[in-house]
Amino acid sequence: MAFKCGRTRSHGGVQVKHINNFIAGEMVPAQSGAYLANIEPATGTAYSEVADSDAADVGTAVNAARAAFPAWSQTTAAVRSRRLLSIAQGIENRLEEFARAESIDTGKPISLARNLDIPRAIQNFRFFATAILHTQSAAHVTDGAALNYTLRHPVGVAGLITPWNLPLYLLSWKIAPALATGNTAIAKPSELTPMTAGLLAEVCQETELPPGVLNIVHGTGAKVGTAITAHPQVACISFTGGTVTGKRVAQSAAPHFKKVSLELGGKNPTIVFKSADLASAVPGAARAAFANQGQVCLCGSRIFVQASIYEEFTERLVASVQKIRIGDPLDESTQHGALVSHAQFEKTMSYVQLAKDEGGELLYGGQPCPTINDRCQNGFFFPPTLITGLPADCRVNQEEIFGPIATLTPFSNEAEVVDAANGTPYGLSASVWTQDLGQAQRVSAGLECGTVWVNCWLTRDLRVPFGGVKASGVGREGGAEALRFFTESKNVCIAMSDSS
Ligand code: NAP
């Protein structure tokens, strides 16, 4: 639903906030003047409006980013570091405001936004701000004849496209390394969750980031995303989102020979062996399945349990999931909030029906939540849902649902579970629960994915490589990988004697 700029709207007497683009240091509406309604998932009603931009706005933003590039790319690492550190500080100074905006926009519990999403965004800026102060470059002496040394240059204007599930967390995970290495950028957050990107633009203004270094263009993937990936002056694309979209991004970027990094979907296994410490494996599997209402690419939505402990584990898991407090995301005690959109709610419902059609048995959940409170009666609430009795190759066990649904499947031995775990098109992450170190090492080596957590889940060190294999993506983010992606290497070869 689009509204024209300037049209007055109010909800309960409250002026609806407009979230505008951030281009060349200014907050500007889309050139068309159009806005999209931004729905609060917990209430199902519009509470803000976001610029409905298109290729014209992307063109203006690219021009701004190009104009800013020469000066920004020539600043010293120390200067860029200070700039990014002040952005981190600017977010931290307004942490509560950011956390509330993220919770309202996504439906996630405010405690999660306050303790995970926003602190991680701050950490992303601090991490890359300091990482660039400690880089090394390679040098090679060629048999006494020449000295080679490698320079790394920023790529140019970076296109950064992110999804709705971890809005500021993922946006900052791209913006920070792109800017730290001397690129300028056009960022496109999901139009479903634009609020914290709007606040970040305010922080960039407050901290006087030079105009055009970061530009944020709001709107749909169909208009803004495609315009960024196809723009000939955007030199690289860092994309996080679904696998189908990732394929389109790759197709659009390929004719321009752009550097592309794709962080895509997952259908991750949680594997619980009989030697596992169930006191940690049970809550670990529950958290892996249902954190952020199951809307984390790394969620463990397929839980494999060794047959001899299957019954006990299942009972304990159901008991643990029953205790998850579903509620208004703004309530401090809530552990499970609303799904991001009505479409996501319907999709989740459809997979419960599909599970039944495929012969599955509901162990827990499976029905929309009863009304939470008056404010939330039209919200998109769906409970943690556990399903059993499905074969590993059925659609529910093969397709990414990206909602609070997990399946439980027994297995008998290592070889069988590694085969089943690898038996989807995806390969993002896995978690393995065992007290047997040899088993942990064997199984980790056999799993086809970018990250294996052993006796933990989502323990993150920003220095490690992060990404997926198969349909879960191309390339790696994190630490040195991100610094490499956002720079091009150039070798300089200097002869060491006249005879060369
Ligand atoms: P999505 O539909 O693929 O969208 C991701 C972003 O791409 C959004 O900003 C979207 O805009 C934009 N977009 C859509 N079509 C585009 C196009 N043709 N060209 C360029 N950009 C386009 O994904 P989502 O539903 O927002 O997020 C959920 C998915 O992200 C899941 O599959 C999840 O696993 C994945 N994810 C992966 C990771 C990871 O690190 N591997 C992390 C988080 C999420 P619109 O909002 O307008 O569609």
Side-chain angles (χ1 to χ4, degrees):
M1 181 176 182
F3 299 97
K4 284 285 167 197
C5 181
R7 186 166 155 183
T8 1
R9 281 174 43 78
S10 75
H11 288 294
V14 178
Q15 184 75 32
V16 172
K17 186 176 167 59
H18 278 171
I19 302 156
N20 284 322
N21 294 331
F22 178 57
I23 298 177
E26 302 292 333
M27 307 291 187
V28 290
Q31 290 171 38
S32 68
Y35 285 90
L36 295 160
N38 183 23
I39 309 291
E40 179 178 5
T43 64
T45 55
Y47 79 104
S48 73
E49 291 175 354
V50 60
D52 182 13
S53 316
D54 57 29
D57 303 291
V58 171
T60 310
V62 171
N63 290 341
R66 291 189 71 206
F69 180 75
W72 180 252
S73 59
Q74 282 163 33
T75 52
T76 61
V79 167
R80 293 196 299 276
S81 176
R82 279 199 294 278
R83 290 282 184 192
L84 295 192
L85 289 173
S86 40
I87 293 175
Q89 191 58 51
I91 300 172
E92 195 162 53
N93 292 346
R94 297 168 65 178
L95 193 147
E96 197 54 33
E97 192 184 347
F98 270 90
R100 196 177 159 81
E102 204 71 298
S103 170
I104 292 173
D105 225 12
T106 58
K108 71 178 68 200
I110 184 144
S111 59
L112 188 66
R114 185 188 296 124
N115 297 318
L116 178 79
D117 290 73
I118 309 306
R120 170 60 193 275
I122 295 166
Q123 199 190 355
N124 288 340
F125 279 107
R126 291 201 172 126
F127 176 83
F128 286 107
T130 49
I132 53 168
L133 302 178
H134 307 286
T135 54
Q136 293 181 335
S137 58
H140 302 88
V141 178
T142 311
D143 287 338
L147 170 67
N148 295 273
Y149 61 91
T150 307
L151 299 173
R152 297 208 75 94
H153 297 292
V155 176
V157 176
L160 315 173
I161 302 175
T162 50
W164 44 259
N165 64 325
L166 301 164
L168 192 67
Y169 174 134
L170 290 174
L171 195 66
S172 54
W173 184 230
K174 297 185 188 301
I175 291 173
L179 268 47
T181 45
N183 302 278
T184 55
I186 318 293
K188 187 206 110 50
S190 169
E191 87 280 5
L192 296 179
T193 55
M195 291 294 283
T196 47
L199 292 176
L200 175 65
E202 289 178 17
V203 167
C204 290
Q205 276 190 328
E206 285 160 15
T207 58
E208 298 179 356
L209 184 72
V213 169
L214 172 65
N215 304 274
I216 301 175
V217 183
H218 293 282
T220 63
K223 291 198 283 187
V224 178
T226 52
I228 293 173
T229 57
H231 199 296
Q233 303 297 344
V234 173
C236 67
I237 302 289
S238 178
F239 171 84
T240 299
T243 295
V244 172
T245 318
K247 201 178 278 187
R248 291 194 193 117
V249 167
Q251 282 164 347
S252 168
H256 302 279
F257 306 109
K258 296 182 188 200
K259 262 184 130 173
V260 177
S261 156
L262 302 171
E263 300 294 338
L264 308 177
K267 188 74 181 174
N268 312 300
T270 297
I271 302 172
V272 186
F273 285 99
K274 64 183 181 207
S275 75
D277 170 16
L278 293 195
S280 57
V282 169
R287 183 167 162 261
F290 300 122
N292 202 36
Q293 298 74 244
Q295 303 168 126
V296 181
C297 55
L298 304 160
C299 271
S301 52
R302 295 180 297 148
I303 306 171
F304 296 97
V305 187
Q306 198 149 24
S308 59
I309 57 159
Y310 182 76
E311 216 169 293
E312 182 191 355
F313 179 88
T314 302
E315 255 173 45
R316 288 174 68 168
L317 183 66
V318 171
S320 162
V321 169
Q322 276 169 342
K323 290 190 198 129
I324 295 175
R325 282 190 300 277
I326 305 169
D328 186 334
L330 293 179
D331 183 332
E332 290 295 336
S333 65
T334 292
Q335 296 171 317
H336 184 100
L339 302 188
V340 74
S341 64
H342 190 248
Q344 206 61 22
F345 176 85
E346 298 257 280
K347 182 182 174 193
T348 304
M349 286 280 290
S350 76
Y351 273 93
V352 173
Q353 185 54 50
L354 180 62
K356 289 179 186 162
D357 296 345
E358 291 186 318
E361 184 199 335
L362 263 179
L363 282 180
Y364 187 75
Q367 294 287 331
C369 302
T371 298
I372 303 284
N373 60 23
D374 276 359
R375 189 181 99 82
C376 295
Q377 45 186 304
N378 295 319
F380 314 129
F381 292 88
F382 201 88
T385 295
L386 289 169
I387 298 171
T388 189
L390 287 169
D393 61 355
C394 72
R395 280 186 56 201
V396 170
N397 270 329
Q398 289 287 313
E399 296 172 11
E400 186 186 42
I401 301 170
F402 216 55
I405 296 182
T407 61
L408 277 151
T409 309
F411 68 89
S412 52
N413 59 50
E414 275 179 30
E416 180 195 329
V417 76
V418 169
D419 248 20
N422 290 340
T424 77
Y426 296 102
L428 190 55
S429 71
S431 73
V432 178
W433 300 81
T434 176
Q435 295 295 306
D436 176 341
L437 182 58
Q439 181 167 62
Q441 290 170 340
R442 283 191 303 277
V443 172
S444 299
L447 289 168
E448 295 167 356
C449 59
T451 299
V452 181
W453 280 291
V454 177
N455 297 328
C456 60
W457 177 76
L458 206 60
T459 301
R460 292 282 287 120
D461 182 322
L462 302 191
R463 293 169 297 183
V464 308
F466 176 84
V469 301
K470 304 195 289 187
S472 289
V474 177
R476 292 291 179 271
E477 296 188 320
E481 302 277 349
L483 299 179
R484 261 196 294 277
F485 175 76
F486 286 111
T487 52
E488 290 285 13
S489 63
K490 181 201 288 169
N491 191 66
V492 180
C493 176
I494 302 180
M496 290 175 86
S497 73
D498 291 345
S499 61
S500 69

